[in-house]
Amino acid sequence: MYRLNVRKAAVLGAGVMGAQIAAHLANAKVPVLLFDLPAKQGDSNGIVNQALDGLRKLEPSPLSVKDKLQYIDAANYQQHLALLGECDLVIEAIAERMDWKNELYAKIAPHLAPHALIASNTSGLSINALGSALPVELQPRFCGIHFFNPPRYMYLVEIIATRQSDAATLDALESWLTSRLGKGVIRALDTPNFVANRIGVFSILSVMHHTARLGLGFDEVDALTGTRIGRPKSATFRTADVVGLDTLLHVVQTMCDTLSDDPWHSYFTAPAWLKGLVEKGALGQKTKCGIFRKAGKEIQVLDLVKREYRPATGKVAEEVDAILKLKNPAEKFAALRNSSHPQAQLLWSSFRDVFHYCATQLETVADNARDLDLAIRWGFGWSQGPFETWQAAGWKNIAQAIQEDIAAGRSMSSSPLPAWVFEREGVHTAQGSWSASANNYRSRSTLPVYQRQLFPEMLLGEAVAVRGSTVWENDGVRLWTHAADPGIAIISFKSKMHTVGAEVLDGLITAIGIAEKDFDGVVVWHEAPFAVGANLKQIADACTAGAFAQLEATVEKFQRASQTLKYSQVPTVIAVQGLALGGGCEFVMHASKRVLALESYIGLVEAGVGLIPAGGGCKEFAIAAAEHAARTATPGEVFNFLQPVFMTIAMAKVCKSAHEAVQVGFASPSDTILFNPNELLHVALKEARALVEAGYAPPLHPRDITVAGRNGIATFEMMLVNMQKGGMISAHDYRVAKAAATALCGGNVDTGSKVDEEWLLTVERHEFVKLLKTPETQARIVHMLETGKPLRN
């Protein structure tokens, strides 16, 4: 099979998307040339350099760590076209103008390497039309690659082939995008706006139509169409603000201009109020004013009746909320349809019209129903795709309801449902997903890259992957094996949000004990989040009961669980995706090796609830400081290493990527970082096996650990005094930070003293329990449980 090796890439166009695509390539260790027009004044690369400066400031950051920026070089079309010959992949991402793109292609074509793959990041222009402007010899190596914004965080990428695109090249590109850049790839058809934008924007237009028809407020509709129905909390109108009202207007205009024969064409026009906002420059989030805006701390929404902004107070009516809480999807949809409340009618009508549109257009929009559903999941953040939602609610009953509404003139289009809709019970089955164009079921891709995904994201109705063979379990963890390597045991947490409570601690210790006897190694893996920390409810209940001796015993068990991970007789590999906070972070620190998804957010956050790390986290940093000092031939100077660590703990900092976690010290430079989280378990099993094959032996307990002692604590206190006097921290913040300093510095001992691990663990535990006894920490714990937010007291 042809393998795509991208040693260097070029991105043409340093706008919002082009610059961020370049950033994500740099995240993946691909050197990038970022091109744009030469600046009219000053530095000829001024346009690109300005874009690079913008990457440093963007939040959330498109860069996994700031120093990735060094792998992006500025270039311009006037001076540097010859450098394109060094590039294996060239991505064009300039403005959506066919004539501009064609002109650029003519300019770059003579400079491309004979093997280079060229792609357009257009969001809706015809890929075949674009490809036809290229020289004949380049056309087999041209396709569309449609990234979603922001490219680092959005999972979806659509690949669009032309009639001349080479099939093996596209397979190689799909494999590379999937594993190297961590994307979910959909092969889209060359139709206007492709799959996700075509369906997703239609959904937005349908909600806008019914909002106006029913006289509802934008904030009221967003309260309805967000998390309550499995959509992002930005819902509909806030999503439009985030995307950019000008961008939405452009996509709608593309549909209007290119889909004249679509039965819904009359709705492909932006309402007057949307055009008015764009004309005024109120483009949404990027201009801080759109459908919504912020006035001080107040969120305001545009009121079309009053023609002015008002406080956003939209709520879901009680009777509609009761319907949305129904567990049975069939009952829920029937109740929405039968309700006369305008909010219920908006939900039923918008779902109905999206179902109707998807069924009618499936043949022309996507190869199969799975591609359509996954495109909407990944591109628009829906928990279920349209066809999944329909199938869950009872395929035939919903089809009958849609047909009745069409006949009664209630739907947005009078176009009949396709005949295939009434010939089946749904579109997703164990044998595959329905393809209207092929008139059969399509199985999933057999590309080798997907064999790395042991548990791929599944759709309702598909064959469910076997979840392995259980070896042992308790209420907290499950010990099991997978056929990929039955000699490696897998530990998965079962608690809500994978919090670490007594049952998880007991389970982890027991499971590793079983693995030491019966298996070659251990992988700790479960779906995100990895672990959000200790079970605060158990801690709060024990505090209320005054059971501090019990709490100290639990902390000691937590430390023993961490030590069990570290000193297991078989290698322990931890696979992390998403949040790994507090105790979860401490488990990560103690494993033999880590396999981290790029989007892993790791941190010791105990200070947020008035505590310090006491599962061995402070101890591990104290050991690392002593080892660092020994390597630099200054064994007494551990303080310099501890300074950034102290600030990380005291400020409860959470790393914003796996790369940053390595920089901070939660992970090692030798650990593995993956861009596709679906590959974690596969790689973790391989890493564990590799450690076994290399003759793994557990580390020895360190002796004579040099600590910073009293002088270190005193130096940290000087920093804290200044911060408290400046009003930056409270008296209790001071107390918590001093406890962290004490644990990191090895306790109240002479500077340069040598201690062992047990001493450091005892200091941690003592400081932790001492803080637990304070009313301020107890108040912080309760506040976090009740609100999910830290209390500053």
Side-chain angles (χ1 to χ4, degrees), residues 762-782:
T762 301
V763 172
E764 261 189 7
R765 190 168 64 248
H766 173 76
E767 294 296 328
F768 183 92
V769 175
K770 190 164 64 172
L771 287 170
L772 266 183
K773 293 178 180 178
T774 65
E776 292 87 354
T777 286
Q778 293 175 22
R780 289 188 181 191
I781 293 171
V782 171

Side-chain angles (χ1 to χ4, degrees), residues 664-676:
V664 168
F666 296 139
S668 165
S670 62
D671 288 329
T672 300
I673 296 175
L674 300 175
F675 277 51
N676 196 318

Side-chain angles (χ1 to χ4, degrees), residues 80 151 221 237 263 272 281 308 373 379 411 427 542 557 576 600 632 636 661 669 676 691 727 757 759 762:
H80 305 117
V221 172
F237 292 101
E308 62 184 21
D373 274 353
S411 60
V427 290
K557 184 179 290 185
V576 179
S600 296
T632 57
N676 196 318
L691 289 171
E757 274 188 294
W759 173 268
T762 301

Side-chain angles (χ1 to χ4, degrees), residues 17 21 24-25 89 91 119-122 143-160 170 173-189 194-197 371 374-380 450 676:
M17 282 299 290
I21 290 170
H24 196 53
L25 289 167
L89 173 65
I91 300 174
S120 175
N121 183 57
T122 177
C143 67
I145 301 179
H146 181 208
F147 288 86
F148 276 65
N149 190 23
R152 170 184 163 186
Y153 300 98
M154 293 299 290
Y155 190 55
L156 177 64
V157 169
E158 294 173 316
I159 292 180
I160 311 97
L170 294 191
L173 176 62
E174 179 173 350
S175 299
W176 187 82
L177 288 168
T178 299
S179 199
R180 186 68 177 272
L181 294 193
K183 297 303 176 186
V185 175
I186 294 296
R187 296 286 189 100
L189 303 182
F194 312 129
V195 183
N197 276 345
D371 285 354
L374 289 178
I376 294 300
R377 273 196 191 188
W378 298 341
F380 281 79
Y450 294 115
N676 196 318

